[in-house]
Amino acid sequence: MAMDGLGKSIRVILNHVRGSPVVDEGLMRDVCRELQRGLLQADVNVQLVLQLTNNVRERALNERIAAGRSAKDHVVRVIYEELVSLMGNGEPIALKPQTIMLVGLYGQGKTTTAGKLANYFVKKGFSVGLIGADVYRPAALDQLKQLGAKVNAEVYGEPGQKDAARIVRDGLAEFSEKQIRIIDTSGRHALEGDLIKEIEDIAAVAEPDERVLVLDSQVGQQAGPQADAFNKAVGVTGIILTKMDGTAKGGGALSAAANTDARVIFIGTGEHIRDLEPFDADRFISRLLGMGDLKGLVEIAKAEIKENESMDELARNILSGRFTLMDMYHQMKAVGRMGSLQKFVAMIPGVDKLEDKIDYEATQQRLDSFKVIMDSMTLREKEEPNIIKGKRIERIARGAGVEPRAVRDLLKQYNRSKKMVSTVGKDRKMLKKLQKQFAGIDASDFEGGGE
Ligand SMILES: Nc1nc2c(ncn2[C@@H]2O[C@H](COP(=O)(O)OP(=O)(O)OP(=O)(O)O)[C@@H](O)[C@H]2O)c(=O)[nH]1
Ligand SMILES: [Mg+2]
């Protein structure tokens, strides 16, 4: 289905970007072409697609990529931010006395949503009146009355009255004491002149604070023109997307939001009165793009970058030959934090991934005991561990509450690490040993092994 196309496009884009070390015209041409394909398949209108991809291209090329950030991270972030800003960043509906008018085509969910909104405000302690101004469908008022009874909101209607604006005027007078007045209007199968006239008249009488377009999330390319027409008639201030519990991912909403300049405020997620959620642009776009939690993904990317940066620095220190107890400690800590020595090893040119399993828990335990021991050392001892002998060992052990043997173990570990570190990058076998050593495997496993 159409929306899956967008998700696929985004995955293709990510593959393009992943394979590219830089963000240049060529890459962005590929990325934008794919993004256009996906957005068009997702029923976003052409003009909007072009505008969006232009923005993405401009920003991706002109904004500086922050240090340590990959091309992929940069491009994903720009695409994501552009999509979020289109949706209007989900500014919520104000919690203040107001009149809210719902508009939309037939069966989009206006009446149901009127009930849900009433419930939302009642639960927040407001007095709410519902006004049934659907003069088109005979059963409309009964439907609204049932909903009103469920949520403790009074309902005003005039059975048989054909003048919707008149019902609204009377209803507003009746509900002059209510803090929230919600007007349910009629729908039509298509955008007909009499519908537009009707809602214009209602809006003129009611002067509603919010003119909310209720839009079925399954609506495709029609979303743009629909939103446009309602917007011209009453000036749409907000959009509520219904039936988000279904398979539709709501791509049309992008067009609707762009056409009206209105923000999406709620989504309907079921037939029940409670099934109304404040709009969350992050989640919506993740769903739209079929990428699980995209925001989460962006955050993971950020965290990965930080780790890579610290590993970079560590590698530089190690290769420069300076190696103190603190370095060893940081090195082990970094390994533990990364949860993967593979990454570290893979950073050294010419070295393949190591397949050996690492026991991170053991590494962490050793690290903890080393920390306690090192805390009772002087700064000089940490920087020049070879001065630690005899009396110093006893003193450190006493301070740390361990056997002198533990201190000697630490020093042995240090000497081995130092020796190995000095040959890192020259010798593959050495790397394997280093890996094992970090993993806390007993020293005898590789003592006597050559370099
Ligand atoms: N699953 C699901 N169904 C919904 C949702 N919102 C509305 N519906 C259903 O959609 C159908 C139409 O909803 P209505 O509220 O009557 O739509 P309307 O816009 O008032 O329709 P008209 O008054 O005929 O123009 C009903 O069967 C609702 O139960 C939703 O968020 N999820
Ligand atoms: Mg209705």
Side-chain angles (χ1 to χ4, degrees):
M1 90 177 242
M3 295 311 301
D4 292 340
L6 181 54
K8 202 166 118 220
S9 289
I10 296 290
R11 283 189 286 278
V12 171
I13 289 170
L14 292 183
N15 282 336
H16 275 310
V17 183
R18 206 171 282 133
S20 173
V22 291
V23 178
D24 58 14
E25 296 273 357
L27 174 71
M28 289 318 293
R29 200 168 33 242
D30 291 345
V31 165
C32 287
R33 192 178 300 140
E34 199 55 49
L35 189 58
Q36 282 162 3
R37 199 201 323 266
L39 288 169
L40 288 172
Q41 276 178 19
D43 293 331
V44 180
N45 85 26
V46 178
Q47 228 177 322
L48 177 58
V49 168
L50 292 179
Q51 182 196 322
L52 186 108
T53 49
N54 273 341
N55 289 354
V56 166
R57 182 187 297 108
E58 287 297 302
R59 286 191 51 197
L61 289 173
N62 294 328
E63 286 177 18
R64 255 191 68 237
I65 305 181
R69 224 170 250 180
S70 67
K72 175 190 155 219
D73 185 45
H74 179 68
V75 173
V76 169
R77 194 186 308 268
V78 168
I79 292 175
Y80 174 74
E81 283 175 4
E82 284 298 315
L83 286 169
V84 170
S85 85
L86 247 180
M87 304 304 296
N89 281 323
E91 192 190 312
I93 200 158
L95 290 175
K96 58 158 200 200
Q98 58 182 313
T99 302
I100 301 165
M101 172 181 182
L102 302 180
V103 298
L105 286 189
Y106 173 82
Q108 302 282 303
K110 292 179 298 298
T111 307
T112 311
T113 302
K116 289 176 177 179
L117 272 178
N119 183 52
Y120 176 84
F121 281 106
V122 166
K123 286 271 145 58
K124 297 215 179 297
F126 289 87
S127 58
V128 179
L130 283 163
I131 299 171
D134 182 348
V135 293
Y136 198 74
R137 201 158 59 81
L141 188 57
D142 288 335
Q143 188 192 357
L144 195 64
K145 279 184 174 159
Q146 282 172 18
L147 289 166
K150 269 192 205 160
V151 305
N152 268 328
E154 249 183 273
V155 177
Y156 182 86
E158 296 176 14
Q161 173 61 263
K162 284 290 157 199
D163 183 347
R166 195 193 163 113
I167 301 175
V168 171
R169 186 170 42 234
D170 296 347
L172 289 175
E174 175 80 16
F175 288 153
S176 61
E177 303 288 301
K178 301 274 186 216
Q179 292 167 305
I180 304 287
R181 283 102 45 105
I182 299 171
I183 304 167
D184 180 33
T185 64
S186 347
R188 296 288 193 284
H189 281 290
L191 289 160
E192 293 158 19
D194 67 330
L195 171 65
I196 297 298
K197 171 91 173 58
E198 194 175 291
I199 60 171
E200 279 173 354
D201 288 349
I202 294 173
V205 166
E207 295 180 354
D209 304 271
E210 292 274 5
R211 278 90 56 198
V212 175
L213 175 65
V214 178
L215 199 63
D216 184 330
S217 55
Q218 319 230 13
V219 78
Q221 280 288 349
Q222 279 308 306
Q226 267 186 40
D228 205 31
F230 282 108
N231 193 38
K232 285 204 177 98
V234 297
V236 172
T237 55
I239 296 169
I240 296 181
L241 274 182
T242 62
K243 308 183 195 179
M244 283 294 284
D245 48 315
T247 51
K249 289 173 188 158
L254 272 178
S255 300
N259 266 301
T260 56
D261 238 8
R263 82 259 193 239
V264 181
I265 39 182
F266 286 105
I267 58 170
T269 54
E271 300 197 32
H272 195 276
I273 210 82
R274 282 188 315 254
D275 300 330
L276 185 74
E277 295 176 14
F279 178 69
D280 178 340
D282 293 325
R283 272 178 55 193
F284 177 81
I285 286 166
S286 298
R287 174 175 169 153
L288 187 70
L289 302 184
M291 290 187 60
D293 180 0
L294 189 70
K295 191 183 183 190
L297 198 84
V298 170
E299 265 151 27
I300 288 168
K302 270 194 237 161
E304 250 175 40
I305 288 157
K306 275 207 191 114
E307 281 183 348
N308 283 338
E309 275 167 0
S310 69
M311 285 314 277
D312 245 351
E313 196 182 313
L314 183 68
R316 264 199 306 278
N317 273 354
I318 289 173
L319 295 175
S320 76
R322 205 187 92 93
F323 192 72
T324 67
L325 260 180
M326 290 311 291
D327 286 330
M328 180 181 82
Y329 181 78
H330 287 313
Q331 183 182 7
M332 292 183 71
K333 198 165 152 190
V335 169
R337 198 172 50 233
M338 286 184 76
S340 167
L341 186 63
Q342 258 94 328
K343 284 188 194 173
F344 168 62
V345 170
M347 280 165 49
I348 299 170
V351 177
D352 302 328
K353 266 195 204 150
L354 297 175
E355 302 301 328
D356 303 25
K357 269 234 180 292
I358 300 175
D359 185 346
Y360 297 109
E361 211 170 306
T363 305
Q364 190 55 49
Q365 276 170 17
R366 292 196 103 192
L367 204 55
D368 291 343
S369 86
F370 284 179
K371 173 92 174 68
V372 174
I373 295 170
M374 283 165 65
D375 280 347
S376 63
M377 290 180 184
T378 64
L379 184 64
R380 180 158 171 243
E381 285 166 346
K382 279 185 262 193
E383 283 178 348
E384 299 172 52
N386 55 348
I387 63 167
I388 305 173
K389 295 187 174 102
K391 284 252 161 55
R392 283 183 192 265
I393 291 180
E394 277 168 35
R395 192 208 78 236
I396 292 167
R398 247 197 332 275
V402 297
E403 296 290 321
R405 195 167 44 108
V407 181
R408 278 192 284 270
D409 279 349
L410 169 64
L411 293 173
K412 261 195 226 158
Q413 169 85 47
Y414 166 76
N415 284 322
R416 271 196 304 271
S417 293
K418 187 178 175 177
K419 206 166 145 199
M420 288 178 182
V421 152
S422 67
T423 58
V424 158
K426 294 178 198 153
D427 189 326
R428 280 168 188 242
K429 269 196 234 154
M430 227 46 224
L431 279 167
K432 290 212 180 201
K433 285 185 180 177
L434 187 63
Q435 179 193 24
K436 282 188 178 168
Q437 196 177 3
F438 285 149
I441 291 166
D442 194 86
S444 59
D445 280 1
F446 46 90
E447 243 160 24
E451 285 170 29

